[in-house]
Amino acid sequence: MTRHTRQFGPLLLILVVVALVPVLFGVGGITNLLEQVFAFALFAMSYDLLIGYTGVVSFGHAVFFGTGAYVVGIFLAHSGGSSGGLLVGTCVALGMSILLSLLIASISLRIRTVYFAMITLAVGQTFYVLSGSQMLQPLTNADDGMTVPLPVWLTHDRPVYYFSLAVLVLCLVLLRLFVRSPVGLVLQGIRENEGRVLTLGHSVYRFKSIAFVISGLMATVAGILYVIAQTFVSTGVYDVSISLDVLLMTIIGGIGTLYGGLLGALIIIVAQTEFTNLAGTYPIFGRYTILFGVLYIVIVRFMPRGIVGTILESIKRRSGQEG
Amino acid sequence: MIEMDLELAHLRVDYAQTTIIQDLSLNLQAGVSMALVGPNGAGKTTLLNAISGHCPVQAGRVVFGGHDVTRWSVDRRARVGMGRSFQGIHLFPHLSTLESVTLAIAAREGTPTGRLFSRVPEQWQQEAHTYLQQTALSHHAGKAANTLSHGDKRKLELAMLLALRPALLLLDEPTAGMALAEVPVMLGLLEEIKASGKYAILLVEHKLDVVFRLSDEVVVLQQGSILAQGTAHDVMADERVQAAYLGGQHVEST
């Protein structure tokens, strides 16, 4: 078996299975759920680029996710769900994401990591308040949120599903290329020993800024996928709980693995949905966040590399022993 | 062509309201190897830090290759040819030795931030292999840095430094903590580097046999000032040095 087959074989198999879901199980509940998983998987992978590959912790990554969802939502709503609205909205959202990440980077990436985390949290909360404010009501419909009409070619479940899947795969390929590029290597160096990277002559600030911009862009695309899947957007997309959910997804899947975000998103989204359904019969399940807390502690204590990280490590160890 | 000389002029470095280096002036020419010796607390590592930009300078100037680098950041100084190793191990624990050296090559070449999705050039990896070979680490190319022995970690530090192709090597006790059996290998490598004549070397070292083997010139520091300067033999024969540094014992080179 060649290295490439070993590396990409399982991924291709998963992709084929996921692509066959609408054919095998039909569209509706399961595809709607998976569309959410796709959006959050991309969001979690974008977060992994920061925490897992660069060693930078952000508590306000939802600011990019929310901006993607809101900007595209506003453009679609105000253009009556036209393809042009989707296209222009996407370009504006990506442009805003770049400006926002450069702005946050310029005021906070030069300072200590803990302050960076705090500033991202503050910016995230500012957008949360703005999105619900009455001042912006004509644009955002304030606290009530807004229903988002989609272009005709995205009005059925199947096209939405395949569109979301295609965007996810494209972004995954780009992210993988990015982490394996010279810039990706420098970022991993920063995670491992920032001072040494600096002493070698790399501008740490510049590389952290690049990571933040790329991560922000991917989170913005995730937000766009989310609004397409939900056809609704409200202040919840900026909520700090979204930033914490994505942290949990990344940790459960495995930080620094990239693919961990896929599994983490699947577990958390499916669990959230199932617990919410069960809460109808057994109210105790309404408190499922407590279970997530327990899961978080168990993973950090017994599987610090997350599920994918632990699996990759054991494969590496086994192939080392065979070699 | 600008000679990559190092010039320190009337340098003063304070730390926690104490003067560690005071009014220190020194010249190190390209191709010359200079050892800094002195008792603990004399300011040897602080002086290296002041040169590499790891601590601020309160007065005086650091001039390197014609540039006044006194206010430059650490990374900017490295980009004009300062290579620095530390007394403690300062590596990338989970990166392989090959990746670590490639990272140094990337720093030297200036990582192309415009090509965010391209692979690490094959040429860099091949070059990284030659530095691993030069430092007798090629059989550890795929191993993570934190799985190496202490001696091999020291060699990896050296391989990364060489990959930078610096004009000035600032080496802080390059054999510190190494097993006795590993020291001759490291010394052999350092001698080769010195003999190549490509580098100005400023070396902090406690082991006198290392000082004798690796330096053209020795500077003895005491309380942040230069006590004596000259060849290793001349300096060690100096009575003031014997009294201050060695408690009055006569020293013979080994």
Side-chain angles (χ1 to χ4, degrees), chain A residues 16 30 65 98 190 257 259 299 322:
Chain A
V16 169
I30 187 165
F65 184 78
I98 293 172
I190 292 172
T257 60
Y259 305 123
I299 291 280
E322 281 167 13

Side-chain angles (χ1 to χ4, degrees), chain A:
Chain A
M1 202 189 280
T2 66
R3 192 167 60 93
H4 278 87
T5 321
R6 248 199 332 254
Q7 228 171 2
F8 297 114
L11 277 175
L12 274 176
L13 190 67
I14 292 169
L15 179 62
V16 169
V17 171
V18 174
L20 286 174
V21 165
V23 180
L24 298 174
F25 302 102
V27 288
I30 187 165
T31 52
N32 291 346
L33 184 72
L34 283 176
E35 284 156 18
Q36 268 195 71
V37 171
F38 297 159
F40 276 95
L42 181 56
F43 190 19
M45 286 192 291
S46 80
Y47 194 65
D48 194 22
L49 196 61
L50 275 192
I51 191 172
Y53 282 87
T54 320
V56 172
V57 180
S58 159
F59 289 141
H61 216 44
V63 74
F64 298 107
F65 184 78
T67 298
Y70 255 105
V71 172
V72 168
I74 289 167
F75 271 85
L76 279 172
H78 290 261
S79 69
S82 73
S83 296
L86 177 62
L87 185 67
V88 176
T90 300
C91 293
V92 172
L94 295 178
M96 274 183 72
S97 167
I98 293 172
L99 290 177
L100 198 57
S101 48
L102 287 176
L103 181 71
I104 296 173
S106 69
I107 57 173
S108 60
L109 267 179
R110 285 185 200 273
I111 55 178
R112 283 173 51 194
T113 312
V114 62
Y115 297 122
F116 173 77
M118 291 300 129
I119 284 176
T120 53
L121 179 63
V123 175
Q125 287 306 96
T126 306
F127 274 75
Y128 176 71
V129 173
L130 274 177
S131 63
S133 75
Q134 286 304 317
M135 191 180 69
L136 294 175
Q137 202 269 343
L139 210 58
T140 61
N141 208 21
D143 278 332
D144 294 333
M146 56 184 173
T147 303
V148 177
L150 292 176
V152 181
W153 56 277
L154 275 178
T155 44
H156 297 288
D157 283 333
R158 205 175 284 239
V160 171
Y161 183 83
Y162 285 116
F163 177 76
S164 302
L165 181 60
V167 172
L168 173 68
V169 171
L170 176 71
C171 290
L172 177 58
V173 170
L174 287 175
L175 279 170
R176 194 182 149 75
L177 288 172
F178 178 66
V179 298
R180 293 172 75 87
S181 72
V183 177
L185 182 62
V186 178
L187 295 179
Q188 290 172 66
I190 292 172
R191 176 194 67 200
E192 295 283 310
N193 189 341
E194 185 173 328
R196 193 73 186 101
V197 170
L198 204 63
T199 310
L200 287 178
H202 290 291
S203 165
V204 167
Y205 168 72
R206 186 161 148 233
F207 285 98
K208 275 187 176 176
S209 300
I210 293 170
F212 197 50
V213 169
I214 300 287
S215 172
L217 282 173
M218 291 297 169
T220 305
V221 175
I224 296 171
L225 290 186
Y226 180 78
V227 80
I228 289 173
Q230 297 290 305
T231 60
F232 181 77
V233 61
S234 68
T235 54
V237 290
Y238 280 122
D239 197 339
V240 69
S241 68
I242 293 254
S243 293
L244 295 179
D245 278 349
V246 83
L247 174 67
L248 188 60
M249 290 171 193
T250 315
I251 288 174
I252 287 175
I255 59 170
T257 60
L258 204 60
Y259 305 123
L262 296 168
L263 188 64
L266 181 70
I267 291 171
I268 296 296
I269 298 292
V270 171
Q272 269 177 350
T273 311
E274 288 306 312
F275 287 147
T276 308
N277 291 342
L278 280 170
T281 321
Y282 310 101
I284 181 95
F285 284 102
R287 307 277 179 203
Y288 63 81
T289 46
I290 296 170
L291 288 175
F292 284 175
V294 173
L295 181 64
Y296 176 78
I297 293 167
V298 168
I299 291 280
V300 170
R301 173 66 184 82
F302 297 104
M303 255 187 181
R305 298 178 68 89
I307 298 171
V308 173
T310 307
I311 292 169
L312 288 177
E313 197 176 43
S314 89
I315 291 172
K316 208 171 164 186
R317 207 178 309 131
R318 211 177 315 145
S319 65
Q321 279 169 358
E322 281 167 13

Side-chain angles (χ1 to χ4, degrees), chain B residues 112-192:
Chain B
T113 46
R115 291 162 59 200
L116 298 176
F117 305 107
S118 63
R119 292 175 71 92
V120 173
E122 187 65 31
Q123 201 185 337
W124 291 6
Q125 301 200 28
Q126 282 171 4
E127 197 190 331
H129 274 294
T130 64
Y131 289 112
L132 290 178
Q133 209 166 11
Q134 195 181 342
T135 48
L137 284 174
S138 39
H139 55 299
H140 291 317
K143 276 194 184 170
N146 65 350
T147 62
L148 300 177
S149 71
H150 185 82
D152 285 338
K153 284 178 182 167
R154 285 269 175 223
K155 287 188 215 160
L156 180 56
E157 292 256 12
L158 195 59
M160 284 160 59
L161 273 188
L162 294 177
L164 289 174
R165 290 193 201 146
L168 171 66
L169 284 174
L170 300 166
L171 306 174
D172 198 349
E173 297 196 46
T175 60
M178 286 180 93
L180 275 178
E182 290 174 320
V183 174
V185 181
M186 187 58 148
L187 275 181
L189 288 169
L190 291 170
E191 274 182 327
E192 273 177 36

Side-chain angles (χ1 to χ4, degrees), chain B residues 2-235:
Chain B
I2 300 169
E3 284 290 334
M4 298 305 277
D5 295 346
L6 175 72
E7 184 197 337
L8 308 178
H10 306 289
L11 217 58
R12 198 188 92 222
V13 179
D14 297 343
Y15 183 72
Q17 292 173 331
T18 306
T19 300
I20 310 291
I21 302 284
Q22 48 186 336
D23 196 27
L24 189 146
S25 297
L26 195 67
N27 281 302
L28 176 62
Q29 288 175 340
V32 173
S33 173
M34 181 184 277
L36 280 175
V37 298
N40 284 335
K44 305 182 294 292
T45 297
T46 303
L47 185 58
L48 286 198
N49 286 341
I51 296 168
S52 62
H54 284 87
C55 73
V57 165
Q58 274 65 44
R61 290 188 315 147
V62 179
V63 179
F64 177 59
H67 305 283
D68 183 343
V69 302
T70 318
R71 306 281 165 233
W72 286 18
S73 60
V74 171
D75 52 320
R76 194 171 170 202
R77 293 184 205 211
R79 287 197 290 272
V80 292
M82 279 193 191
R84 169 86 204 264
S85 78
F86 297 85
Q87 201 175 330
I89 296 294
H90 216 42
L91 294 169
F92 306 107
H94 300 100
L95 296 191
S96 72
T97 58
L98 188 68
E99 286 171 329
S100 304
V101 179
T102 308
L103 204 46
I105 295 171
R108 186 195 75 207
E109 292 292 316
T111 306
T113 46
R115 291 162 59 200
L116 298 176
F117 305 107
S118 63
R119 292 175 71 92
V120 173
E122 187 65 31
Q123 201 185 337
W124 291 6
Q125 301 200 28
Q126 282 171 4
E127 197 190 331
H129 274 294
T130 64
Y131 289 112
L132 290 178
Q133 209 166 11
Q134 195 181 342
T135 48
L137 284 174
S138 39
H139 55 299
H140 291 317
K143 276 194 184 170
N146 65 350
T147 62
L148 300 177
S149 71
H150 185 82
D152 285 338
K153 284 178 182 167
R154 285 269 175 223
K155 287 188 215 160
L156 180 56
E157 292 256 12
L158 195 59
M160 284 160 59
L161 273 188
L162 294 177
L164 289 174
R165 290 193 201 146
L168 171 66
L169 284 174
L170 300 166
L171 306 174
D172 198 349
E173 297 196 46
T175 60
M178 286 180 93
L180 275 178
E182 290 174 320
V183 174
V185 181
M186 187 58 148
L187 275 181
L189 288 169
L190 291 170
E191 274 182 327
E192 273 177 36
I193 289 164
K194 175 179 177 281
S196 72
K198 291 179 191 166
Y199 312 94
I201 300 173
L202 191 58
L203 167 84
V204 168
E205 189 52 72
H206 277 294
K207 298 184 186 96
L208 291 179
D209 54 333
V210 177
V211 172
F212 276 99
R213 280 176 68 174
L214 293 179
S215 59
D216 302 310
E217 223 176 302
V218 175
V219 168
V220 182
L221 284 187
Q222 189 188 26
Q223 292 178 343
S225 298
I226 295 175
L227 181 68
Q229 186 172 357
T231 64
H233 284 94
D234 290 348
V235 163

